[in-house]
Amino acid sequence: MSGGDLLPSQRSLFDIPDDVAYLNCAYMSPLPKPSLAAGETGLQRKARPWTISSADFFVVSEAVRGLFAQMINASTDDVAFIPAASYGMAQAAHNISLTPGQTILTLAEQFPSNVYPWMDLAERSGAAFVSIPRPPDDDWTAGLLARIDAATGVVAIPHCHWTDGGLIDLKEVGAACRRVGAILCIDGTQSVGALPLDVKHVDPDFLCVASYKWLLGPYSLGFLYVAPRWHDARPIEHNWIARRDSEDFAGLVNYQREYQPGARRFDVGERSNFALMPVAKASLDLILGWTVPRIAATLRRRTDAIARRAQDEFGIGSVAAARRADHYLGLRFSRGIPADLPARLAANNVFVSVRGQAMRVTPHLWATDTDIERLFSTLQSVVR
Ligand SMILES: Cc1ncc(COP(=O)(O)O)c(C=O)c1O
């Protein structure tokens, strides 16, 4: 992608004071102003419920379902609403039967919402829970491909490691899963919205995404892509709106065995959240307008520049560019992260986060060169 295709700063869309360097999208994105306004309008409707019609339970949700589907090249019917990534993985694990002798593959130090459901499934089924050790060369893809075999029942992984952005080639892993009949469950919370993912290329069985990070969305509302081959599976809860004809409120007493089409059966109860759903819509509209490939290219330039400078000026390393997700950087200090570094940075209005052995520096389109100067000048005073 050429320089002309990169996006200009979008800081004016965010409520970030000039003297705040917020480099922590991996923790939580700030809400864009249009999303905040949409949420305020939505919340006000609850103060006047007579303005909420039965159609309102469906219209915005269906639009949001379609926008998320567009982002990952899925059909609207493949998308369900979830309150958290853990809920999405619970839907998947609830429907997967394994036997002793089979394995569940995960990565070392993976985020817990994509670990505990699989430990539980292993305990229930007798399958082995396997955590692939961190490869010294950060080549998670090779590590996974070496372990995927006829015994593999589930591969439960992210697109990039949440501690340092280490990238997994999902297309290759997806192909390996299909060769042996393994089920592929992806946690896209730290990537979807900022790193392109096409479900037609990867063919995951399930893909869950919490929206409060790279989707710039609200807390407590996320998405679950469910491959069509799982659309007949059993949801973990049974709510009225997921059943056929739920649009007819007067007829809800006519209990239905059938569900709404596609993945809608997996929707969390009370998914028609009048405050949060419009927030999600406004944020998805923004991202789709910018386009995910342009976001990735713009953030790649930013994170590469930070990585180079950290290495050149301070000898601080990170995952090599080719093995790192475009948008995601984790700095590695050869003698460990100085204990007071995050606090010293925060005291100077520089916001990053430490996870595992890495200090995550994850700017988004709001970040400016001034923010990066603030980061490095604070590092200068602490690390040198
Ligand atoms: C990789 C990853 N997945 C998921 C989450 C959030 O999980 P949940 O929505 O289950 O709270 C996080 C939060 O930091 C994360 O880093």
Side-chain angles (χ1 to χ4, degrees):
M1 196 164 280
S2 75
D5 291 329
L6 300 181
L7 291 157
S9 169
Q10 303 295 324
R11 194 170 184 100
S12 63
L13 286 177
F14 295 88
D15 183 19
I16 305 176
D18 286 348
D19 65 347
V20 168
Y22 190 73
L23 309 174
N24 210 2
C25 194
Y27 164 64
M28 181 175 295
S29 78
L31 276 186
K33 289 175 188 170
S35 313
L36 179 61
E40 282 167 354
T41 306
L43 196 55
Q44 275 161 7
R45 302 191 71 192
K46 184 66 177 64
R48 298 180 153 222
W50 55 93
T51 67
I52 299 173
S53 72
S54 56
D56 291 330
F57 283 75
F58 298 88
V59 173
V60 185
S61 327
E62 285 308 307
V64 171
R65 212 188 291 277
L67 292 173
F68 180 77
Q70 189 186 331
M71 187 174 290
I72 58 168
N73 195 24
S75 312
T76 305
D77 275 357
D78 301 336
V79 176
F81 293 107
I82 55 175
S86 57
Y87 185 98
M89 286 306 176
Q91 294 279 18
H94 180 66
N95 280 289
I96 296 173
S97 307
L98 298 179
T99 52
Q102 287 193 287
T103 56
I104 303 170
L105 302 185
T106 62
L107 308 184
E109 299 180 344
Q110 193 162 288
F111 190 77
S113 292
N114 195 16
V115 170
Y116 293 132
W118 307 116
M119 286 181 165
D120 180 64
L121 177 60
E123 221 172 282
R124 285 187 279 124
S125 64
F129 174 89
V130 177
S131 172
I132 295 182
R134 181 177 286 280
D137 60 357
D138 294 310
D139 191 349
W140 288 109
T141 307
L144 276 161
L145 294 178
R147 285 303 302 258
I148 296 173
D149 58 22
T152 310
V154 174
V155 176
I157 54 172
H159 196 170
C160 68
H161 204 287
W162 75 300
T163 60
D164 58 13
L167 186 64
I168 292 95
D169 186 331
L170 291 180
K171 210 170 152 192
E172 282 215 43
V173 172
C177 286
R178 282 191 297 284
R179 274 197 296 278
V180 299
I183 295 164
L184 178 59
C185 299
I186 299 171
D187 175 4
T189 301
Q190 290 289 12
S191 53
V192 173
L195 192 64
L197 189 156
D198 183 330
V199 294
K200 301 279 188 310
H201 292 157
V202 174
D203 194 17
D205 291 86
F206 298 90
L207 160 71
C208 66
V209 186
S211 71
Y212 68 95
K213 299 174 190 283
W214 302 96
L215 292 179
L216 311 180
Y219 198 69
S220 308
L221 181 60
F223 302 95
L224 176 66
Y225 162 83
V226 181
R229 56 187 172 273
W230 290 96
H231 284 187
D232 290 337
R234 293 181 89 87
I236 57 175
E237 61 154 306
H238 297 279
N239 64 71
W240 60 271
I241 203 166
R243 296 291 168 132
R244 199 178 74 183
D245 298 335
S246 56
E247 297 86 351
D248 174 15
F249 286 12
L252 290 177
V253 290
N254 305 321
Y255 306 128
Q256 286 285 349
R257 284 187 65 80
E258 303 293 320
Y259 292 93
Q260 293 274 342
R264 291 174 183 80
R265 66 177 58 196
F266 303 106
D267 280 353
V268 64
E270 296 192 14
R271 64 114 208 271
S272 318
N273 189 314
F274 307 107
L276 299 190
M277 202 56 90
V279 178
K281 179 172 183 313
S283 295
L284 290 173
D285 279 337
L286 276 176
I287 294 172
L288 289 167
W290 290 321
T291 79
V292 175
R294 289 176 81 202
I295 293 171
T298 308
L299 298 182
R300 161 62 73 176
R301 193 172 67 168
R302 178 70 79 192
T303 56
D304 272 355
I306 300 170
R308 263 196 310 272
R309 194 163 161 192
Q311 180 66 59
D312 293 350
E313 291 182 19
F314 299 93
I316 298 171
S318 51
V319 176
R323 299 222 164 117
R324 178 172 69 70
D326 293 322
H327 63 298
Y328 212 103
L329 180 64
L331 296 180
R332 293 167 169 168
F333 295 70
S334 53
R335 279 171 289 152
I337 300 169
D340 61 344
L341 181 55
R344 297 273 295 270
L345 287 166
N348 204 24
N349 279 351
V350 179
F351 297 93
V352 297
S353 44
V354 172
R355 298 291 184 271
Q357 303 310 307
M359 189 178 89
R360 302 185 303 188
V361 181
T362 49
H364 206 292
L365 298 179
W366 57 75
T368 62
D369 292 346
T370 312
D371 293 340
I372 308 309
E373 287 311 317
R374 187 177 276 274
L375 165 71
F376 280 105
S377 65
T378 316
L379 273 181
Q380 183 90 32
S381 64
V382 180
V383 176
R384 284 259 164 93

